[in-house]
Amino acid sequence: AQRVTQPEKLLSVFKGAPVELKCNYSYSGSPELFWYVQYSRQRLQLLLRHISRESIKGFTADLNKGETSFHLKKPFAQEEDSAMYYCALSDPGGNKLVFGAGTILRVKS
Amino acid sequence: NAGVMQNPRHLVRRRGQEARLRCSPMKGHSHVYWYRQLPEEGLKFMVYLQKENIIDESGMPKERFSAEFPKEGPSILRIQQVVRGDSAAYFCASSPPSGMNEQYFGPGTRLTVT
C-alpha cells in the first residue's frame, strides 16, 4: 500500500539553525515525491518535487530509494519558513497524491 | 489568474442535510481532484475528474458522496444526509492536461456538521 510517514508533528528550531523535515514512504515502484507548504492563512502550494532537482527558498530534498526517504533540508532557517509542510507521493503518471500528516515548522528568533 | 476557487469557505449543516461544495479550476485546467482532511491528519484523495468524466473515485465513500464536473460550470462535491463524521476540510486541486502531477490547490471548504 502507498503510504507517506512524517514522524514529527512539530519541529521547533532557532533562526539560523539547520532544518531537516523527515519523510519516509512506502511504495512498490518508482513514485514521484513532492513537498507542499502551507503558510499561515494561505493555500497549500508546491514547494519542490524530486524530479526537478532544484532548490526553492533554500530548501532541497534528495530522494533516497534505499532508505525510501525524501527528507527536506535547509542549512539556515528563517522566521518566514514557519509553516506546515506536507510530503506527498504519486504514481509516475498518476492522478492522485498521497499525503503525509504534515509537520509544523516553527522558527524562533 | 485567480487560482483555484472554492465556495463556500465555511459551511454549516445539520445532520441529515445535504452539503454542496463547489470548485472552479484555474483557467485552462481540465483536471480536478478532491481531497478531504480530517483533524490531525493529512489530505486524503477522494476523486479525480475531467470534464464530464469521473476518472478515479477510489477514495470516495461508497454511500452519500458524489462528484461531478460538468461541461460548463464548477465541479461539485455533494454529500447527502451528512453525519458528524463528515466534518472536515475539503480541498480541491486542478491541473492542466499536460502536467497531471502539478496540482494547484484551492483554499478549501470547512464543513461543520452539527
Side-chain angles (χ1 to χ4, degrees):
Chain A
Q2 301 173 0
R3 188 164 53 239
V4 176
T5 303
Q6 293 180 250
E8 301 140 327
K9 268 191 168 180
L10 171 66
L11 182 63
S12 192
V13 302
F14 283 103
K15 179 181 166 183
V19 171
E20 183 177 71
L21 297 167
K22 291 186 169 47
C23 172
N24 289 90
Y25 65 91
S26 172
Y27 184 85
S28 54
S30 298
E32 287 198 48
L33 274 297
F34 306 83
W35 277 98
Y36 278 81
V37 61
Q38 188 170 27
Y39 300 101
S40 179
R41 295 197 175 91
Q42 294 187 28
R43 60 187 67 192
L44 199 62
Q45 56 186 284
L46 179 65
L47 180 62
L48 54 79
R49 53 197 302 182
H50 88 271
I51 60 172
S52 309
R53 295 183 177 273
E54 55 188 350
S55 172
I56 305 292
K57 299 185 180 183
F59 284 97
T60 59
D62 290 316
L63 179 59
N64 185 323
K65 292 185 179 179
E67 295 182 1
T68 58
S69 68
F70 188 55
H71 303 326
L72 184 68
K73 299 177 184 178
K74 184 169 182 176
F76 307 104
Q78 298 172 306
E79 286 180 75
E80 54 265 33
D81 296 328
S82 295
M84 172 72 98
Y85 291 80
Y86 293 97
C87 182
L89 67 76
S90 78
D91 297 334
N95 52 38
K96 62 186 178 189
L97 292 167
V98 177
F99 283 88
T103 298
I104 298 170
L105 174 64
R106 285 212 188 110
V107 181
K108 301 176 286 190
S109 57
Chain B
N1 195 333
V4 178
M5 308 292 287
Q6 288 187 251
N7 69 80
R9 294 292 308 277
H10 300 275
L11 183 61
V12 179
R13 284 286 177 267
R14 289 202 178 110
R15 279 180 295 172
Q17 291 185 319
E18 180 180 281
R20 283 195 181 200
L21 288 64
R22 293 176 192 75
C23 169
S24 297
M26 284 179 70
K27 192 174 179 181
H29 288 194
S30 56
H31 300 243
V32 166
Y33 314 80
W34 285 94
Y35 294 85
R36 176 166 65 173
Q37 185 176 33
L38 296 170
E40 305 292 317
E41 294 185 18
L43 284 74
K44 296 277 195 300
F45 169 80
M46 298 181 77
V47 63
Y48 162 44
L49 309 106
Q50 295 178 20
K51 285 282 186 181
E52 299 183 283
N53 282 307
I54 296 175
I55 308 302
D56 181 350
E57 56 181 347
S58 57
M60 287 280 268
K62 295 285 183 259
E63 296 174 347
R64 302 187 297 108
F65 285 72
S66 62
E68 62 178 13
F69 188 18
K71 190 175 178 182
E72 302 289 337
S75 175
I76 307 281
L77 179 68
R78 185 181 291 109
I79 311 172
Q80 295 177 304
Q81 298 175 315
V82 295
V83 300
R84 288 234 172 92
D86 297 332
S87 295
Y90 292 83
F91 291 92
C92 168
S94 72
S95 68
S98 59
M100 283 204 295
N101 280 347
E102 185 104 24
Q103 295 184 21
Y104 297 81
F105 282 81
T109 293
R110 186 160 296 280
L111 172 65
T112 302
V113 179
T114 61

Coordinates of all heavy atoms in Angstrom, one line a residue, chain A residues 4-70:
Chain A
V4 N 2.8 7.6 3.2 CA 3.8 8.6 3.5 C 3.8 8.9 5.0 O 2.7 9.1 5.6 CB 3.5 9.9 2.7 CG1 4.5 11.0 3.1 CG2 3.6 9.6 1.2
T5 N 5.0 8.8 5.6 CA 5.1 9.0 7.0 C 5.9 10.2 7.3 O 7.1 10.3 6.9 CB 5.7 7.8 7.7 OG1 4.9 6.6 7.4 CG2 5.7 7.9 9.2
Q6 N 5.4 11.1 8.1 CA 6.1 12.3 8.6 C 6.1 12.1 10.1 O 5.1 12.4 10.8 CB 5.5 13.6 8.2 CG 5.6 13.8 6.7 CD 4.9 15.1 6.3 OE1 3.9 15.2 5.7 NE2 5.6 16.2 6.6
P7 N 7.2 11.7 10.7 CA 7.2 11.3 12.1 C 7.1 12.4 13.1 O 6.6 12.2 14.2 CB 8.6 10.6 12.3 CG 9.4 11.1 11.2 CD 8.5 11.4 10.1
E8 N 7.4 13.6 12.7 CA 7.3 14.8 13.6 C 6.1 15.6 13.3 O 5.9 16.1 12.2 CB 8.6 15.6 13.5 CG 9.9 14.9 13.8 CD 11.0 15.3 12.8 OE1 10.7 15.6 11.6 OE2 12.1 15.2 13.2
K9 N 5.3 15.8 14.4 CA 4.1 16.7 14.3 C 4.6 18.2 14.3 O 4.1 19.0 13.6 CB 3.2 16.5 15.4 CG 2.1 15.5 15.1 CD 1.0 15.6 16.2 CE -0.2 14.8 15.8 NZ -1.3 14.9 16.8
L10 N 5.6 18.4 15.1 CA 6.1 19.8 15.3 C 7.6 19.8 15.4 O 8.2 18.9 16.1 CB 5.5 20.3 16.6 CG 6.1 21.7 17.1 CD1 5.7 22.8 16.1 CD2 5.6 22.0 18.5
L11 N 8.2 20.7 14.7 CA 9.7 20.9 14.7 C 9.9 22.3 15.0 O 9.5 23.2 14.3 CB 10.3 20.5 13.4 CG 11.8 20.5 13.3 CD1 12.5 19.5 14.3 CD2 12.4 20.2 11.9
S12 N 10.6 22.6 16.1 CA 10.9 23.9 16.5 C 12.4 24.2 16.5 O 13.2 23.4 17.1 CB 10.4 24.1 17.9 OG 10.3 25.5 18.3
V13 N 12.9 25.2 15.8 CA 14.3 25.5 15.7 C 14.5 27.0 15.8 O 13.6 27.8 15.7 CB 14.9 25.0 14.3 CG1 14.7 23.5 14.1 CG2 14.3 25.8 13.2
F14 N 15.7 27.4 16.1 CA 16.1 28.8 16.2 C 16.5 29.3 14.8 O 17.0 28.5 14.0 CB 17.2 29.0 17.2 CG 16.7 29.0 18.6 CD1 17.0 27.9 19.4 CD2 16.0 30.1 19.2 CE1 16.5 27.9 20.7 CE2 15.6 30.1 20.5 CZ 15.8 28.9 21.3
K15 N 16.2 30.5 14.6 CA 16.7 31.2 13.4 C 18.1 31.0 13.1 O 18.9 31.1 14.1 CB 16.3 32.7 13.5 CG 16.7 33.5 12.3 CD 16.4 35.0 12.6 CE 17.0 35.9 11.6 NZ 16.8 37.3 12.0
G16 N 18.5 30.6 11.9 CA 19.9 30.4 11.6 C 20.3 28.9 11.8 O 21.4 28.5 11.3
A17 N 19.5 28.1 12.4 CA 19.9 26.7 12.7 C 19.5 25.9 11.4 O 18.6 26.3 10.7 CB 19.1 26.2 13.9
P18 N 20.1 24.7 11.3 CA 19.7 23.9 10.1 C 18.4 23.2 10.4 O 18.0 23.0 11.6 CB 20.8 22.8 10.1 CG 21.4 22.8 11.5 CD 21.2 24.2 12.0
V19 N 17.7 22.9 9.3 CA 16.4 22.3 9.4 C 16.4 21.0 8.6 O 16.9 20.9 7.5 CB 15.3 23.2 8.9 CG1 13.9 22.5 8.7 CG2 15.1 24.4 9.7
E20 N 15.8 19.9 9.2 CA 15.5 18.7 8.4 C 14.1 18.2 8.8 O 13.9 17.8 9.9 CB 16.6 17.6 8.7 CG 16.3 16.4 7.9 CD 17.4 15.3 8.0 OE1 17.4 14.7 9.1 OE2 18.2 15.1 7.1
L21 N 13.3 18.2 7.8 CA 11.9 17.7 8.0 C 11.9 16.3 7.4 O 12.2 16.1 6.2 CB 10.9 18.5 7.3 CG 10.8 20.0 7.9 CD1 10.0 20.8 6.9 CD2 10.1 19.9 9.2
K22 N 11.6 15.3 8.2 CA 11.7 13.9 7.7 C 10.4 13.4 7.0 O 9.3 13.8 7.3 CB 12.0 13.0 8.9 CG 13.3 13.2 9.5 CD 13.6 12.2 10.6 CE 15.1 12.2 11.0 NZ 15.6 13.5 11.3
C23 N 10.7 12.6 6.0 CA 9.6 12.0 5.2 C 10.1 10.6 4.8 O 11.1 10.5 4.1 CB 9.3 12.8 4.0 SG 8.1 12.0 2.9
N24 N 9.3 9.6 5.1 CA 9.5 8.2 4.6 C 8.3 7.8 3.9 O 7.2 8.1 4.2 CB 9.9 7.3 5.8 CG 11.2 7.6 6.4 OD1 11.4 8.3 7.3 ND2 12.2 6.9 5.8
Y25 N 8.5 6.9 2.9 CA 7.4 6.5 2.1 C 7.4 5.0 1.9 O 8.4 4.3 2.0 CB 7.4 7.2 0.7 CG 8.5 6.9 -0.2 CD1 8.4 5.8 -1.1 CD2 9.7 7.6 -0.1 CE1 9.5 5.5 -1.9 CE2 10.8 7.3 -0.9 CZ 10.7 6.3 -1.8 OH 11.7 5.9 -2.6
S26 N 6.3 4.5 1.6 CA 6.1 3.0 1.3 C 5.4 3.0 -0.1 O 4.3 3.5 -0.3 CB 5.2 2.4 2.3 OG 4.9 1.1 2.0
Y27 N 6.1 2.3 -1.1 CA 5.6 2.3 -2.4 C 6.3 1.2 -3.2 O 7.6 1.2 -3.1 CB 5.8 3.7 -3.1 CG 5.2 3.8 -4.5 CD1 3.8 4.1 -4.6 CD2 5.9 3.5 -5.6 CE1 3.3 4.2 -5.9 CE2 5.4 3.6 -6.9 CZ 4.0 3.9 -7.0 OH 3.5 4.0 -8.2
S28 N 5.6 0.4 -3.9 CA 6.3 -0.6 -4.8 C 6.4 -0.1 -6.2 O 5.5 0.0 -6.9 CB 5.5 -1.9 -4.8 OG 4.2 -1.6 -5.2
G29 N 7.6 0.4 -6.5 CA 7.8 1.0 -7.8 C 8.6 2.3 -7.6 O 9.3 2.5 -6.6
S30 N 8.5 3.2 -8.6 CA 9.2 4.4 -8.5 C 8.3 5.6 -8.5 O 7.8 6.1 -9.5 CB 10.1 4.6 -9.8 OG 11.1 3.5 -9.8
P31 N 8.0 6.1 -7.3 CA 7.0 7.2 -7.2 C 7.6 8.5 -7.5 O 8.8 8.6 -7.6 CB 6.6 7.1 -5.7 CG 7.8 6.7 -5.0 CD 8.5 5.7 -6.0
E32 N 6.8 9.5 -7.7 CA 7.2 10.9 -7.7 C 7.0 11.4 -6.3 O 6.0 11.2 -5.7 CB 6.4 11.7 -8.7 CG 6.8 11.4 -10.2 CD 6.4 12.5 -11.1 OE1 6.6 13.7 -10.9 OE2 5.7 12.1 -12.2
L33 N 7.9 12.2 -5.8 CA 7.9 12.7 -4.5 C 7.8 14.2 -4.5 O 8.5 14.9 -5.3 CB 9.1 12.3 -3.6 CG 9.0 10.9 -2.9 CD1 7.9 11.0 -1.8 CD2 8.9 9.8 -3.8
F34 N 7.0 14.8 -3.6 CA 6.8 16.2 -3.5 C 6.8 16.7 -2.1 O 6.6 16.0 -1.2 CB 5.4 16.6 -4.1 CG 5.1 16.1 -5.4 CD1 4.6 14.8 -5.6 CD2 5.2 16.9 -6.5 CE1 4.3 14.3 -6.8 CE2 4.9 16.4 -7.8 CZ 4.4 15.1 -7.9
W35 N 7.2 18.0 -2.0 CA 6.9 18.7 -0.7 C 6.0 19.9 -1.0 O 6.2 20.7 -1.9 CB 8.2 19.2 -0.1 CG 9.0 18.2 0.7 CD1 10.0 17.4 0.3 CD2 8.7 17.9 2.1 NE1 10.4 16.6 1.3 CE2 9.6 16.8 2.4 CE3 7.8 18.3 3.0 CZ2 9.7 16.3 3.7 CZ3 7.8 17.7 4.3 CH2 8.8 16.7 4.6
Y36 N 4.9 19.9 -0.2 CA 4.0 21.1 -0.3 C 4.1 21.9 1.0 O 4.4 21.3 2.1 CB 2.5 20.6 -0.4 CG 2.2 20.2 -1.8 CD1 2.5 19.0 -2.4 CD2 1.4 21.1 -2.6 CE1 2.1 18.7 -3.7 CE2 1.1 20.8 -3.9 CZ 1.4 19.6 -4.5 OH 1.1 19.3 -5.8
V37 N 3.8 23.2 0.9 CA 3.9 24.0 2.1 C 2.6 24.9 2.2 O 2.0 25.2 1.2 CB 5.2 24.9 2.0 CG1 5.1 25.8 0.8 CG2 5.3 25.8 3.3
Q38 N 2.2 25.1 3.5 CA 1.0 25.9 3.7 C 1.4 27.0 4.7 O 1.6 26.6 5.9 CB -0.1 25.1 4.2 CG -1.4 25.9 4.3 CD -2.6 25.1 4.5 OE1 -2.6 24.0 5.1 NE2 -3.8 25.5 4.0
Y39 N 1.6 28.2 4.3 CA 1.9 29.3 5.2 C 0.6 29.7 5.9 O -0.5 29.4 5.4 CB 2.5 30.5 4.5 CG 3.9 30.1 3.8 CD1 3.9 29.9 2.5 CD2 5.0 30.0 4.6 CE1 5.1 29.5 1.9 CE2 6.2 29.6 4.0 CZ 6.3 29.4 2.6 OH 7.4 29.0 2.1
S40 N 0.7 30.5 7.0 CA -0.5 30.9 7.7 C -1.5 31.6 6.8 O -1.1 32.6 6.1 CB -0.1 31.7 8.9 OG -1.2 32.2 9.6
R41 N -2.7 31.2 6.8 CA -3.8 31.8 6.1 C -3.6 31.8 4.6 O -4.2 32.6 3.9 CB -4.0 33.3 6.6 CG -4.5 33.4 8.0 CD -5.0 34.7 8.3 NE -5.6 34.8 9.6 CZ -4.9 35.1 10.7 NH1 -3.7 35.5 10.6 NH2 -5.5 35.1 11.9
Q42 N -2.8 30.9 4.1 CA -2.6 30.8 2.7 C -3.0 29.3 2.2 O -3.1 28.4 3.0 CB -1.2 31.1 2.2 CG -0.8 32.6 2.5 CD 0.6 32.9 1.9 OE1 1.0 32.3 1.0 NE2 1.2 33.9 2.5
R43 N -3.1 29.2 1.0 CA -3.5 27.8 0.5 C -2.2 27.0 0.3 O -1.1 27.5 0.3 CB -4.2 27.9 -0.9 CG -3.4 28.6 -2.0 CD -4.3 28.8 -3.2 NE -5.4 29.8 -3.0 CZ -6.4 29.9 -3.8 NH1 -6.5 29.2 -4.9 NH2 -7.3 30.8 -3.5
L44 N -2.4 25.7 0.2 CA -1.4 24.7 0.0 C -0.7 25.0 -1.3 O -1.4 25.2 -2.3 CB -2.0 23.3 0.0 CG -1.1 22.1 0.2 CD1 -0.5 22.2 1.6 CD2 -1.9 20.9 0.1
Q45 N 0.6 25.0 -1.3 CA 1.4 25.3 -2.6 C 2.6 24.3 -2.7 O 3.2 23.9 -1.7 CB 1.8 26.7 -2.7 CG 2.6 27.2 -1.6 CD 2.9 28.7 -1.6 OE1 3.7 29.1 -2.4 NE2 2.2 29.5 -0.8
L46 N 2.9 24.0 -3.9 CA 4.0 23.1 -4.2 C 5.3 23.8 -3.9 O 5.5 25.0 -4.3 CB 4.0 22.7 -5.7 CG 5.1 21.8 -6.1 CD1 5.1 20.4 -5.4 CD2 5.1 21.6 -7.6
L47 N 6.2 23.2 -3.1 CA 7.5 23.8 -2.8 C 8.5 23.2 -3.7 O 9.2 24.0 -4.4 CB 7.8 23.4 -1.3 CG 9.2 23.9 -0.8 CD1 9.2 25.5 -0.8 CD2 9.5 23.4 0.6
L48 N 8.6 21.9 -3.8 CA 9.5 21.3 -4.7 C 9.1 19.8 -5.0 O 8.4 19.2 -4.3 CB 11.0 21.4 -4.3 CG 11.4 20.9 -2.9 CD1 11.6 19.4 -2.9 CD2 12.7 21.5 -2.5
R49 N 9.7 19.3 -6.1 CA 9.4 17.9 -6.5 C 10.8 17.3 -6.8 O 11.7 18.0 -7.3 CB 8.5 17.9 -7.7 CG 8.9 18.7 -8.9 CD 7.8 19.0 -9.8 NE 7.2 17.8 -10.4 CZ 6.2 17.7 -11.2 NH1 5.7 18.9 -11.7 NH2 5.7 16.6 -11.7
H50 N 10.9 16.0 -6.6 CA 12.2 15.4 -6.7 C 12.8 15.4 -8.1 O 14.0 15.4 -8.3 CB 12.2 14.0 -6.1 CG 11.9 12.9 -7.1 ND1 10.6 12.5 -7.3 CD2 12.6 12.1 -7.9 CE1 10.6 11.5 -8.1 NE2 11.8 11.2 -8.5
I51 N 11.9 15.3 -9.1 CA 12.3 15.2 -10.5 C 12.9 16.5 -11.0 O 13.7 16.5 -11.9 CB 11.2 14.7 -11.5 CG1 10.1 15.7 -11.5 CG2 10.8 13.3 -11.1 CD1 9.0 15.4 -12.5
S52 N 12.6 17.6 -10.3 CA 13.2 18.9 -10.7 C 14.6 19.1 -10.2 O 15.4 19.8 -10.8 CB 12.3 20.1 -10.1 OG 11.0 19.9 -10.4
R53 N 14.9 18.5 -9.1 CA 16.3 18.6 -8.5 C 16.7 20.1 -8.3 O 17.8 20.4 -8.6 CB 17.3 17.9 -9.4 CG 17.1 16.4 -9.5 CD 18.2 15.7 -10.3 NE 18.0 14.3 -10.3 CZ 18.5 13.5 -9.4 NH1 19.2 14.0 -8.4 NH2 18.3 12.2 -9.5
E54 N 15.7 20.9 -7.9 CA 16.1 22.3 -7.7 C 15.9 22.7 -6.3 O 15.4 22.0 -5.5 CB 15.2 23.2 -8.6 CG 13.7 23.0 -8.4 CD 12.9 23.7 -9.4 OE1 13.4 24.5 -10.2 OE2 11.6 23.5 -9.5
S55 N 16.5 23.8 -6.0 CA 16.4 24.4 -4.6 C 15.4 25.5 -4.7 O 15.6 26.4 -5.5 CB 17.8 24.9 -4.2 OG 17.7 25.6 -2.9
I56 N 14.4 25.5 -3.8 CA 13.4 26.6 -3.7 C 13.5 27.2 -2.3 O 13.4 26.5 -1.3 CB 12.0 26.0 -3.9 CG1 12.0 25.2 -5.3 CG2 11.0 27.1 -3.9 CD1 12.1 26.1 -6.5
K57 N 13.6 28.5 -2.3 CA 13.7 29.2 -1.0 C 14.8 28.6 -0.1 O 14.7 28.6 1.2 CB 12.4 29.2 -0.3 CG 11.3 29.9 -1.1 CD 10.0 30.0 -0.3 CE 8.9 30.7 -1.1 NZ 7.6 30.8 -0.4
G58 N 15.8 28.1 -0.7 CA 16.9 27.5 0.1 C 16.7 26.1 0.5 O 17.6 25.4 1.2
F59 N 15.5 25.5 0.2 CA 15.2 24.1 0.6 C 15.7 23.2 -0.5 O 15.5 23.5 -1.7 CB 13.7 23.9 0.8 CG 13.2 24.5 2.1 CD1 12.6 25.7 2.2 CD2 13.3 23.8 3.3 CE1 12.1 26.3 3.3 CE2 12.8 24.3 4.5 CZ 12.2 25.5 4.5
T60 N 16.1 22.0 -0.1 CA 16.4 20.9 -1.0 C 15.9 19.6 -0.4 O 15.7 19.5 0.8 CB 18.0 20.7 -1.2 OG1 18.6 20.5 0.0 CG2 18.6 22.0 -1.9
A61 N 15.7 18.6 -1.3 CA 15.3 17.3 -0.8 C 15.8 16.3 -1.8 O 15.7 16.5 -3.0 CB 13.7 17.2 -0.8
D62 N 16.4 15.3 -1.2 CA 17.0 14.2 -2.1 C 16.2 12.9 -1.9 O 16.0 12.5 -0.7 CB 18.5 14.0 -1.7 CG 19.3 15.2 -2.1 OD1 19.1 15.6 -3.2 OD2 20.2 15.6 -1.3
L63 N 15.9 12.3 -3.0 CA 15.2 11.0 -2.9 C 16.2 9.9 -2.6 O 17.2 9.7 -3.4 CB 14.5 10.8 -4.2 CG 13.7 9.4 -4.3 CD1 12.7 9.4 -3.3 CD2 13.1 9.3 -5.7
N64 N 16.1 9.2 -1.5 CA 16.9 8.1 -1.2 C 16.1 6.8 -1.3 O 15.3 6.5 -0.4 CB 17.5 8.2 0.2 CG 18.5 7.2 0.6 OD1 18.3 6.0 0.2 ND2 19.5 7.6 1.4
K65 N 16.3 6.1 -2.4 CA 15.4 4.9 -2.7 C 15.8 3.8 -1.7 O 14.9 3.0 -1.4 CB 15.6 4.5 -4.1 CG 15.0 5.5 -5.1 CD 15.1 4.9 -6.6 CE 14.4 6.0 -7.5 NZ 14.5 5.5 -8.9
G66 N 17.0 3.7 -1.3 CA 17.4 2.6 -0.4 C 16.8 2.7 0.9 O 16.3 1.8 1.5
E67 N 16.6 4.0 1.4 CA 16.0 4.2 2.7 C 14.6 4.7 2.5 O 13.9 5.0 3.5 CB 16.8 5.3 3.5 CG 18.2 4.9 3.9 CD 18.9 6.0 4.7 OE1 18.3 7.1 4.9 OE2 20.1 5.8 5.0
T68 N 14.1 4.7 1.3 CA 12.7 5.2 1.0 C 12.4 6.5 1.8 O 11.4 6.6 2.5 CB 11.6 4.1 1.2 OG1 11.7 3.7 2.6 CG2 11.8 2.9 0.3
S69 N 13.3 7.4 1.6 CA 13.1 8.7 2.3 C 13.2 9.9 1.3 O 13.8 9.8 0.2 CB 14.2 8.9 3.4 OG 15.4 9.0 2.8
F70 N 12.6 11.0 1.7 CA 12.7 12.2 0.9 C 12.7 13.4 1.9 O 11.7 14.2 2.0 CB 11.5 12.3 0.0 CG 11.5 13.4 -1.0 CD1 12.6 13.5 -1.9 CD2 10.4 14.3 -1.2 CE1 12.6 14.5 -2.9 CE2 10.4 15.3 -2.1 CZ 11.5 15.4 -2.9

